[in-house]
Amino acid sequence: MKKLLYTSLVALSLGASACTVADIQRTVDGVMAGTGTGAVVTRDEVATGLRQALEVGITKGSNQASQTDGFYKNSLIRIPFPPDVQKVENTLRQVGLGKEVDRFVMTLNRGAEDAAKSAVPIFVNAIKQMTIQDAWGILKGDKDAATQYLKRTTSTQLQAAFMPVIRQSLEKTNATRYYTDLVTRYNQIPLVQKVNPNLDEYATQKAMDGLFTLVAQEEANIRENPIARTTELLRRVFAKENQS
């Protein structure tokens, strides 16, 4: 009976905004223990608890990416020399410019790390727009359901917000200058086909891909590891899901 009450409460509760996590916890604790006071927990209140928990995971992943070497020394998200001009890298290394290529790749990743800080408010805004159906789908869905939701609802915003930030970050880390120099020197090599790929677009997409990878890791951790569930509501919700 307790499980039925709890499941009904959560199923009817995933919606839009406003009390404290402590208030939600006290009420949910009462229902779970069979000692509720009869006060009605609104859909908005319980959904707020889920949103706050998701914000913790999003912030952690984005903060990890924005640290020095957050991209550069993470093999899962490290941004390589643009693959569509791989012949440029290979040729430059063959003519003794390997160190210059390595320096460019490092500054490219530094630019992504610098730009990652802008992701958090965009993700949080998407979480605030979450509907009851979205939230229930995340709760009952696959281990990356929240990540897929965020990818679906934030990719356009992220790209628009990231492009100018990435451009500025690449200039700040000298990645743009190094890249221009490398491409110019390559184009001066006799008989090669000249290239001029868009570095801003490439770096923007790779930075977004890296962020979603880290968010997916954090989501899986929250679902599978009780210690990663940073609020009582989150612990109870996913504990029940794991038991079902």
Side-chain angles (χ1 to χ4, degrees), residues 6 15 17 40 57 69 82 90 93 124 135 140 156 167 174 176 197 200 202 220 223 227 243:
Y6 179 80
S17 88
V40 176
D69 292 330
N90 295 338
R93 290 190 184 280
V124 170
K140 304 293 289 185
T156 299
R167 184 179 297 116
N174 289 321
T176 301
D200 294 343
Y202 171 72
R223 289 179 182 274
I227 297 176
Q243 294 171 7

Side-chain angles (χ1 to χ4, degrees), residues 160-190:
F162 258 31
M163 186 70 80
V165 177
I166 280 284
R167 184 179 297 116
Q168 184 178 33
S169 296
L170 294 179
E171 291 175 357
K172 184 168 71 175
T173 62
N174 289 321
T176 301
R177 178 166 66 84
Y178 295 149
Y179 188 66
T180 301
D181 289 346
L182 288 173
V183 170
T184 299
R185 295 173 79 169
Y186 174 82
N187 287 338
Q188 291 172 345
I189 298 174

Side-chain angles (χ1 to χ4, degrees), residues 108-126:
L108 173 61
N109 282 270
R110 291 285 182 263
E113 291 158 9
D114 184 68
K117 293 186 280 289
S118 67
V120 174
I122 298 171
F123 281 137
V124 170
N125 182 65

